[in-house]
Amino acid sequence: MTPVPEDSAALREPGPDDDGASRDVPGGVVGGSLRLPLTPVGADRVRWASVASTLVAAVALLLAQGTGYAATLAVTLVLALAVAWGWPVLTGSFTPMATTVVLAVAAVAMVLSALREDLLWVPAAAAFGVVLAFFGQLVRRTGREGLVLTLLSAFAGLVVIASGTTAVVAANSDRGQAVAVVAMAAVGAAVVTDLLAGVRAAAPLLGIVALVAAVLAAVVATTRVAEVGALEAVGIGAAVGTVSWSFRRVLALQPAMLTLRGQIGAGAGSVLAVGAVVHVFSILT
């Protein structure tokens, strides 16, 4: 009986679609490998590019929300394209270049669909991205290694971008803008936890530190806006701070977190991922 080949990118020869992702990681282990070169201890270090990209993304969205709808749409599109660039290597796609193209095209369609303020076309744009992801695998010339992992990488990227897109419409109202400002302040504050990643004694408390920092920042931010109360700010800060920090923490063991591309993808993604939370709170009265 013919043996089934092991589905591991670490054992394959580089294909035409590898786009050099495997060479970005020490030891030549590509993003699609299940043999992680990082240990939990080794992963607990400050990833400066991730910290910087998270802060830049949060501040950019905070300022854009205060400026208006067009600026928010533009900043969200830039962040979505940043996720499209970094996400495939971060999540282990076996065809990172093809997945980047799929996510980039879908990101443009998805974010521009928010021109309709009722977000009616966002699900259709997301479905378009799913079709593109399957089509990319149909025309693939390097075999079917890692097919499921590659499709999951694309689908997860679409979810992150879709979440960020839903927050665009918050810029339409004073209430929505206030919620977005409070949320981005909380996301930025939660980054302080990333700076403590290398402190062994703080490791068991990192989640609590992120939660407390986000809540405090959200409550302080309410002093600048009148549409969000202090009690509501606690809920917003707890939700977005925890989600954003956990997003980066879950990805900490990925090999691509040793690269600039992976860290930027994680940082931008951790900001877009809270978009759905912002949208939900902005429509609550």
Side-chain angles (χ1 to χ4, degrees), residues 65-85:
Q65 283 282 351
T67 302
Y69 200 87
T72 303
L73 193 75
V75 171
T76 301
L77 179 57
V78 171
L79 295 180
L81 292 176
V83 170
W85 178 62

Side-chain angles (χ1 to χ4, degrees), residues 28-199:
V29 180
V30 299
S33 174
L34 298 179
R35 296 168 56 193
L36 301 180
L38 299 179
T39 65
V41 174
D44 280 336
R45 64 183 68 177
V46 180
R47 307 294 183 190
W48 292 106
S50 175
V51 171
S53 58
T54 302
L55 286 175
V56 168
V59 171
L61 273 179
L62 186 151
L63 296 176
Q65 283 282 351
T67 302
Y69 200 87
T72 303
L73 193 75
V75 171
T76 301
L77 179 57
V78 171
L79 295 180
L81 292 176
V83 170
W85 178 62
W87 189 256
V89 298
L90 187 62
T91 52
S93 171
F94 277 61
T95 58
M97 182 178 294
T99 305
T100 290
V101 171
V102 167
L103 290 179
V105 173
V108 173
M110 210 176 303
V111 176
L112 292 184
S113 71
L115 288 171
R116 278 191 63 126
E117 298 172 7
D118 57 5
L119 299 177
L120 180 65
W121 291 107
V122 171
F128 172 65
V130 171
V131 172
L132 282 180
F134 278 110
F135 180 76
Q137 295 307 303
L138 287 175
V139 300
R140 179 176 167 185
R141 295 175 298 173
T142 56
R144 293 294 179 266
E145 269 190 309
L147 175 63
V148 174
L149 184 60
T150 299
L151 288 174
L152 288 176
S153 172
F155 298 161
L158 291 172
V159 170
V160 173
I161 295 170
S163 179
T165 300
T166 61
V168 173
V169 295
N172 269 339
S173 64
D174 292 339
R175 160 77 179 178
Q177 289 179 346
V179 170
V181 167
V182 171
M184 290 305 106
V187 168
V191 176
V192 70
T193 312
D194 294 31
L195 302 177
L196 300 175
V199 181

